[in-house]
Amino acid sequence: MCGRCSVEPVVGCWGEVLLLTSAEDLDCIPGFQQKVFHINQPAEFIEDQSILNLTFSDCKGNDKLRYEVSSPYFKVNSDGGLVALRNITAVGKTLFVHARTPHAEDMAELVIVGGKDIQGSLQDIFKFARTSPVPRQKRSIVVSPILIPENQRQPFPRDVGKVVDSDRPERSKFRLTGKGVDQEPKGIFRINENTGSVSVTRTLDREVIAVYQLFVETTDVNGKTLEGPVPLEVIVIDQNDNRPIFREGPYIGHVMEGSPTGTTVMRMTAFDADDPATDNALLRYNIRQQTPDKPSPNMFYIDPEKGDIVTVVSPALLDRETLENPKYELIIEAQDMAGLDVGLTGTATATIMIDDKNDHSPKFTKKEFQATVEEGAVGVIVNLTVEDKDDPTTGAWRAAYTIINGNPGQSFEIHTNPQTNEGMLSVVKPLDYEISAFHTLLIKVENEDPLVPDVSYGPSSTATVHITVLDVNEGPVFYPDPMMVTKQENISVGSVLLTVNATDPDSLQHQTIRYSVYKDPAGWLNINPINGTVDTTAVLDRESPFVDNSVYTALFLAIDSGNPPATGTGTLLITLEDVNDNAPFIYPTVAEVCDDAKNLSVVILGASDKDLHPNTDPFKFEIHKQAVPDKVWKISKINNTHALVSLLQNLNKANYNLPIMVTDSGKPPMTNITDLRVQVCSCRNSKVDCNAAGALRFSLPSLLLLSLFSLACKLA
């Protein structure tokens, strides 16, 4: 044991920094008489057996003295004896004992030689300075770290330490600065400027600030620094005042059914705001509850230190298809103090889904299915049902059907109903009873996802579908359809165009067929109801509005003698050849010219013909000379479709009718005579006056432009 009355002890025998400079400074020094103890790690600490005695004095009678031990397995009796609360083998390498009265408090350290470090070094936690002795210089301020437990209760302020400088000048004062004094948060600590006693004014929270770095100095009466500043470290001792919390939820894990025992599902990690270097934040995990608890109440295990959840049942029990519910909910508890009963707890729910794998092949509910369909009909004819024990939300359940035999003409298709998983067998090409009244298909079913290696598709994954085709009365069919014929227009009424031909697909019923006209827009045709001969009832006109691009379209019906009768429709396309039966015509038929015009051109005429080439242009333009004097008008050819009308001399203001004769190139040709009305107008000062010439008014430039436009269209 080290004495406390040496001449100038600065560092204790076990490395502690003392608050006093010498035995002469004070007769009584508050605190533990000895601050550091060394004991060997025993095989076991025995319950209620004294380990050592601690001596503490606050120099005022130790009224309301209380002790706190850093381990919950120990306590200090009122006489200072440290005892174990139960038999225990390992507690770590260091214990701390905190003594406190209303007047003083101090910390003692118990070093267990040979002890095992449970989590870090408590010496590091409290940052005790254990250094080799350093000679104290004369007149230096002596300080040691101040240790203050968090969450202290009233009364405040309370003394927590003392700074000593026995050689300081008379009337000098202590001054304390730093964060927590004159810096935010201000006013937490203060110092008695005369005695050097350091006090705390309120409850501290280690989770807010764990260490305060303060500075002590001595000043004269004017505030001038005499000595210092010297660092003073205030360490807030952690208390277990924070429960573990799970911050990363929701926690959802997945594990494949049939997974081996020990398969890791997920990891649960909790957070504890207490000092991570102490047992206050040393967490242990366990499963408090499992829902449902079938087929075993212990389907899963959680690693108490890591928080890993793993499976602990055999793969056979982890079968999604036999489980009551493929979803498990675990109440996970995290407890600090390494899981001891005194530790605080926090809980969270882990949801674990047993995922499906394709370990069941789909099976048809029966080996044979029956279906009937009328010939000529299309659509779904039967739904094939299957059973599959796998998860309906996965590809391990969804079925894929294939026709593997009996469909050479590709008349059938099968698709999966996404809601029921049934196979919808459809006719996509109409069936013919007369060709085949029965069809047999072989269907196989598989899953979208591949089966697991030890499972295969068996005989139940194929089925036979027998399809019966029902005979119906089908309408007669025209052949060919459409029917086409070419005739000249204007052929004589009653001319035979063709004889249509329709046959009855119901060859086994021996029915008769009658014909009728269905659509004849111009009313030109007639059909013999017995033999189908088509003849004309009117003149065929290629230029009729019912003719499109020289083709006339009519529809006929063929009606059988069935009960009820069935009808077929045939189309007749008549291509009409052109004959020269339309005379050409001219445009425009009105023109204007000024009575004093220097340019004697009157108008450019164009000609058009409803017939087709060669019964149209080139056109021949002439003035019907028998009715007009020779020396007044002139007409000149421009091209095959246009000619220029001009004057040989100026005329008086009046209206003139000029007969124009135009002839096409047909054989024989056709001629048309049309009067061109020419208005000779008075043109003075850019004004055209045609009143005296008649009511119609078209300027000569306008007519020329119109004629040139028509000419350009023809040339194009």
Side-chain angles (χ1 to χ4, degrees):
M1 184 178 295
C2 173
R4 300 177 62 89
C5 53
S6 57
V7 177
E8 281 190 327
V10 177
V11 181
C13 300
W14 293 276
E16 75 275 17
V17 180
L18 304 180
L19 293 173
L20 303 180
T21 58
S22 67
E24 291 79 13
D25 290 334
L26 290 172
D27 293 334
C28 178
I29 302 174
F32 283 105
Q33 180 178 339
Q34 180 177 339
K35 290 194 175 184
V36 179
F37 300 86
H38 291 78
I39 66 170
N40 293 322
Q41 168 73 48
E44 185 176 39
F45 291 99
I46 306 301
E47 181 179 356
D48 290 334
Q49 187 178 90
S50 178
I51 300 171
L52 57 83
N53 288 319
L54 301 161
T55 302
F56 174 86
S57 175
D58 64 355
C59 302
K60 293 186 179 181
N62 283 352
D63 183 36
K64 298 181 181 179
L65 172 61
R66 293 179 56 194
Y67 293 98
E68 296 175 347
V69 185
S70 60
S71 171
Y73 303 118
F74 297 88
K75 72 173 182 178
V76 178
N77 295 324
S78 58
D79 60 359
L82 177 67
V83 298
L85 294 176
R86 70 178 189 182
N87 295 347
I88 187 169
T89 56
V91 296
K93 293 184 177 180
T94 310
L95 294 176
F96 287 91
V97 179
H98 180 246
R100 178 173 62 189
T101 71
H103 307 289
E105 61 181 293
D106 199 3
M107 187 77 70
E109 179 182 3
L110 175 61
V111 179
I112 303 173
V113 179
K116 294 182 179 180
D117 194 352
I118 295 179
Q119 184 183 4
S121 170
L122 291 177
Q123 180 170 318
D124 294 335
I125 296 169
F126 292 103
K127 300 181 180 179
F128 271 68
R130 303 296 174 217
T131 59
S132 57
V134 178
R136 175 184 178 276
Q137 295 182 357
K138 201 74 170 173
R139 297 173 55 93
S140 65
I141 301 173
V142 178
V143 298
S144 67
I146 297 176
L147 307 177
I148 306 176
E150 64 174 336
N151 303 325
Q152 287 183 319
R153 298 178 181 177
Q154 294 284 358
F156 290 106
R158 62 170 65 195
D159 291 340
V160 293
K162 191 171 185 179
V163 178
V164 178
D165 187 349
S166 60
D167 296 331
R168 65 188 175 94
E170 192 174 332
R171 298 179 62 192
S172 64
K173 299 179 180 180
F174 290 102
R175 181 164 63 191
L176 187 64
T177 60
K179 182 177 180 180
V181 182
D182 56 351
Q183 301 175 25
E184 293 296 341
K186 296 180 180 179
I188 296 178
F189 303 101
R190 61 191 183 192
I191 192 170
N192 187 307
E193 61 183 14
N194 296 316
T195 65
S197 292
V198 178
S199 59
V200 64
T201 63
R202 70 187 76 160
T203 299
L204 302 182
D205 187 348
R206 190 206 67 85
E207 285 70 49
V208 177
I209 300 177
V211 178
Y212 294 86
Q213 299 290 344
L214 308 180
F215 297 92
V216 180
E217 58 186 347
T218 56
T219 64
D220 60 17
V221 292
N222 296 320
K224 181 178 179 181
T225 300
L226 299 176
E227 196 172 346
V230 175
L232 171 60
E233 191 173 56
V234 178
I235 301 170
V236 182
I237 302 173
D238 186 42
Q239 289 187 341
N240 192 19
D241 57 347
N242 289 279
R243 293 182 178 276
I245 58 173
F246 291 88
R247 302 190 298 186
E248 300 174 359
Y251 296 93
I252 301 176
H254 294 263
V255 62
M256 189 69 70
E257 65 171 327
S259 295
T261 303
T263 299
T264 299
V265 180
M266 60 191 301
R267 171 170 288 188
M268 299 282 286
T269 304
F271 169 78
D272 195 312
D274 289 320
D275 191 342
T278 68
D279 287 354
N280 295 338
L282 182 59
L283 304 183
R284 293 294 182 263
Y285 301 92
N286 69 89
I287 300 175
R288 294 294 302 273
Q289 181 180 331
Q290 171 190 300
T291 305
D293 59 359
K294 304 290 179 56
S296 168
N298 299 305
M299 299 285 289
F300 305 95
Y301 165 80
I302 188 167
D303 186 301
E305 296 184 5
K306 297 179 180 179
D308 290 338
I309 299 176
V310 299
T311 62
V312 293
V313 295
S314 67
L317 288 181
L318 209 62
D319 184 357
R320 199 198 67 85
E321 287 74 35
T322 61
L323 293 176
E324 177 182 323
N325 189 337
K327 180 174 76 172
Y328 285 87
E329 290 190 347
L330 308 181
I331 305 299
I332 305 300
E333 179 185 75
Q335 187 171 28
D336 58 23
M337 296 302 295
L340 297 177
D341 293 341
V342 295
L344 302 178
T345 62
T347 60
T349 299
T351 301
I352 299 178
M353 306 299 299
I354 310 301
D355 292 337
D356 186 39
K357 64 181 179 180
N358 199 7
D359 55 351
H360 294 85
S361 62
K363 298 178 180 180
F364 283 102
T365 57
K366 52 187 177 180
K367 288 298 296 179
E368 294 186 350
F369 293 85
Q370 305 291 331
T372 57
V373 58
E374 291 184 347
E375 63 173 331
V378 295
V380 177
I381 59 174
V382 66
N383 291 313
L384 310 183
T385 54
V386 295
E387 294 177 344
D388 195 317
K389 296 181 180 180
D390 290 313
D391 186 354
T393 64
T394 68
W397 177 82
R398 290 190 292 269
Y401 298 87
T402 307
I403 302 173
I404 59 177
N405 195 17
N407 191 28
Q410 306 301 309
S411 299
F412 303 93
E413 288 183 358
I414 188 166
H415 301 281
T416 304
N417 185 318
Q419 280 73 43
T420 65
N421 215 30
E422 295 176 346
M424 301 183 296
L425 181 63
S426 304
V427 175
V428 294
K429 293 182 180 179
L431 304 177
D432 192 338
Y433 171 84
E434 285 70 31
I435 296 177
S436 177
F438 299 97
H439 296 268
T440 300
L441 304 180
L442 186 61
I443 312 290
K444 74 173 181 179
V445 61
E446 297 178 336
N447 288 130
E448 290 183 4
D449 291 350
L451 296 172
V452 296
D454 55 342
V455 177
S456 61
Y457 295 103
S460 298
S461 296
T462 59
T464 302
V465 182
H466 299 288
I467 303 165
T468 301
V469 182
L470 302 178
D471 188 23
V472 297
N473 187 22
E474 300 171 84
V477 178
F478 284 88
Y479 182 83
D481 190 25
M483 301 161 283
M484 291 180 285
V485 64
T486 301
K487 298 291 180 178
Q488 275 194 347
E489 64 175 333
N490 300 334
I491 60 174
S492 59
V493 175
S495 298
V496 175
L497 300 182
L498 82 165
T499 299
V500 301
N501 180 38
T503 59
D504 191 346
D506 301 305
S507 57
L508 302 179
Q509 298 184 22
H510 306 291
Q511 300 180 126
T512 60
I513 297 176
R514 294 181 62 86
Y515 299 96
S516 66
V517 176
Y518 179 42
K519 287 186 178 180
D520 179 15
W524 292 344
L525 305 175
N526 175 65
I527 188 169
N528 186 300
I530 304 301
N531 61 24
T533 299
V534 178
D535 56 13
T536 62
T537 60
V539 175
L540 307 184
D541 183 6
R542 194 200 64 82
E543 290 76 33
S544 168
F546 299 106
V547 176
D548 183 15
N549 197 24
S550 300
V551 177
Y552 181 71
T553 301
L555 300 179
F556 297 93
L557 297 179
I559 307 168
D560 66 20
S561 57
N563 186 20
T567 301
T569 303
T571 302
L572 173 61
L573 302 178
I574 305 173
T575 301
L576 297 175
E577 295 178 340
D578 187 42
V579 297
N580 195 17
D581 58 349
N582 290 278
F585 57 90
I586 65 168
Y587 57 88
T589 58
V590 178
E592 289 182 357
V593 64
C594 291
D595 56 359
D596 60 350
K598 295 181 179 180
N599 183 356
L600 298 179
S601 297
V602 177
V603 66
I604 294 176
L605 296 178
S608 183
D609 195 318
K610 293 181 179 180
D611 293 318
L612 298 178
H613 189 77
N615 297 321
T616 57
D617 60 88
F619 298 111
K620 181 180 179 181
F621 295 89
E622 298 174 279
I623 298 174
H624 197 50
K625 296 183 179 181
Q626 289 81 351
V628 179
D630 288 340
K631 300 299 182 179
V632 178
W633 304 95
K634 177 183 177 182
I635 189 166
S636 304
K637 178 180 178 180
I638 296 177
N639 55 28
N640 289 342
T641 57
H642 289 77
L644 174 64
V645 176
S646 58
L647 287 169
L648 298 177
Q649 63 186 41
N650 291 109
L651 296 177
N652 293 328
K653 182 178 179 182
N655 290 336
Y656 300 88
N657 289 325
L658 180 64
I660 303 296
M661 184 171 62
V662 58
T663 305
D664 64 23
S665 296
K667 293 182 179 181
M670 297 193 71
T671 299
N672 180 30
I673 298 175
T674 304
D675 283 343
L676 172 65
R677 184 182 181 188
V678 179
Q679 295 176 298
V680 178
C681 306
S682 174
C683 304
R684 302 290 184 273
N685 299 323
S686 301
K687 293 183 179 180
V688 179
D689 181 11
C690 297
N691 289 334
L696 295 175
R697 296 182 185 179
F698 292 93
S699 67
L700 180 60
S702 299
L703 291 174
L704 286 173
L705 285 174
L706 179 62
S707 300
L708 287 172
F709 176 77
S710 173
L711 174 61
C713 293
K714 278 289 185 177
L715 291 177

